[in-house]
Amino acid sequence: MIPSVRLSPAPAAFSGSNLRSKSASIPSISSLKPSKYVVSSLRPLYLAPLEGPRTAELKPQRRQPLEFRCAASAADDKESNAQVPVQSEGAQRLKISIYFATWWALNVIFNIYNKKVLNAFPYPWLTSTLSLACGSAMMIFSWATRLVEAPKTDLDFWKVLFPVAVAHTIGHVAATVSMSKVAVSFTHIIKSAEPAFSVFVSRFLLGETFPVPVYLSLIPIIGGCALAAVTELNFNMVGFMGAMISNLAFVFRNIFSKKGMKGKSVSGMNYYACLSIMSLVILTPFAIAMEGPQMWAAGWQKALAEVGPNVIWWIAAQSVFYHLYNQVSYMSLDQISPLTFSVGNTMKRISVIVSSIIIFHTPVRPVNALGAAIAILGTFLYSQVIWLLLRFPCGSAFPL
């Protein structure tokens, strides 16, 4: 029970030594008359943790307005809260930038060794299978030794992963077939049209809408790729179609991956590991049917005779770097949308195209280089349009 306090006009002072005894003599509220005593909400009530239902004596003071520093504190809190998202956003951008830089560097190394392997051992189905097998073995070893925590998956997870694995398998094999038939630079020039595939798939199959500038930015991408294809010195229809099929397959892979990762506790690293394992299971029987052990044995003997033991190192390197660059890309996909992923995937092709032309001494005609430059410029404009739409929203339904 909370006792009332008698308000006396004369000030009373109590020392700390007699506070307990004085407070014990205060009558309970039930025994007091309301006419003689008033409980004021303007005076502070000090409660002490004494034994029993008792209170601390209230020291009478001259009534003064209470002063609070709520305004200053609220302003400080508001300012502090406003700074946290900015710092978090900056750290997030830095993290994604590091992912992208690492992803691009690993992809350049993979493409160099992959082309060396295909020049000496032109069996893209087996090469694709070995890449997936190497990555699967690396992750299984990491899980077994607890270097990486194994993912907790169920049947529903593998059901959702299946269409992603199918698209990934088709895209991987198609790109490898393309690079076995044409130059690395030409394959990646054609694959720079991936944003166009992403927009068209999102528009016509997923029902997404885009502002007009997005469609306009696709014109130089498509035109540049067409000019580069027409003027390619070593044009091959199988190589061209392989790059186009790879574009379409990887767009579906990215869309399915982003949807499959929503609400899942599996990290990007483990997600891609599971994807590699399932893709390996899907691809292996098709690789045996398309090429077979007899063709592989004959090609292997020829590769050893022409190149020597270096081909073993090349196969191992391209397999390892293939898994690493895809693993990093999926770690970045944790943070971004499929469309942004396609932009980053296209921008990295600049370094791949330039490095492959230098290393393999690929002949390039001026008009072919112009087509490649237009396609790359279109990709840059496309990314800038997306950035502007993100910074200055126009109210359109945009999947970023």
Side-chain angles (χ1 to χ4, degrees), residues 147-392:
L147 294 175
V148 177
E149 184 178 358
K152 297 179 181 179
T153 61
D154 52 17
L155 183 59
D156 291 336
F157 171 83
W158 293 100
K159 287 181 180 179
V160 173
L161 187 66
F162 180 76
V164 184
V166 172
H168 178 71
T169 303
I170 295 173
H172 178 39
V173 174
T176 308
V177 170
S178 176
M179 282 189 283
S180 68
K181 299 296 182 181
V182 296
V184 175
S185 58
F186 179 72
T187 297
H188 283 275
I189 290 172
I190 302 303
K191 284 176 68 63
S192 65
E194 186 172 325
F197 284 85
S198 181
V199 170
F200 292 147
V201 168
S202 298
R203 175 65 183 89
F204 296 107
L205 296 184
L206 302 181
E208 303 286 350
T209 58
F210 300 89
V212 174
V214 173
Y215 296 106
L216 295 178
S217 67
L218 300 179
I219 295 177
I221 296 177
I222 298 173
C225 291
L227 181 60
V230 171
T231 59
E232 174 66 21
L233 291 175
N234 299 317
F235 180 82
N236 183 282
M237 182 57 69
V238 175
F240 174 76
M241 291 305 299
M244 295 291 284
I245 294 173
S246 178
N247 277 338
L248 185 61
F250 282 149
V251 166
F252 279 106
R253 180 198 67 176
N254 297 339
I255 293 174
F256 293 152
S257 295
K258 194 64 179 180
K259 289 185 176 181
M261 292 170 73
K262 287 183 179 180
K264 302 294 184 181
S265 59
V266 180
S267 64
M269 178 187 299
N270 285 332
Y271 188 91
Y272 178 71
C274 296
L275 178 62
S276 296
I277 295 173
M278 179 167 281
S279 295
L280 176 63
V281 174
I282 295 172
L283 178 58
T284 299
F286 288 95
I288 296 175
M290 293 297 297
E291 295 173 347
Q294 294 182 353
M295 295 179 62
W296 297 336
W300 182 251
Q301 294 299 325
K302 182 180 179 181
L304 287 177
E306 294 180 354
V307 180
N310 285 336
V311 69
I312 301 176
W313 157 249
W314 293 349
I315 292 175
Q318 71 92 23
S319 300
V320 171
F321 283 110
Y322 173 79
H323 175 78
L324 292 179
Y325 100 76
N326 276 286
Q327 179 176 290
V328 173
S329 71
Y330 266 81
M331 292 169 66
S332 65
L333 189 59
D334 271 336
Q335 316 295 330
I336 59 179
S337 72
L339 201 56
T340 305
F341 185 89
S342 295
V343 174
N345 196 31
T346 303
M347 295 299 292
K348 80 160 190 295
R349 302 194 193 285
I350 299 175
S351 56
V352 175
I353 291 171
V354 173
S355 62
S356 64
I357 290 175
I358 295 174
I359 292 175
F360 295 108
H361 305 286
T362 305
V364 180
R365 293 193 299 180
V367 66
N368 185 261
L370 177 62
I374 293 175
I376 293 172
L377 177 62
T379 302
F380 175 76
L381 294 176
Y382 176 83
S383 63
Q384 293 303 303
V385 168
I386 292 179
W387 182 83
L388 289 174
L389 291 173
L390 285 173
R391 191 167 182 85
F392 307 103

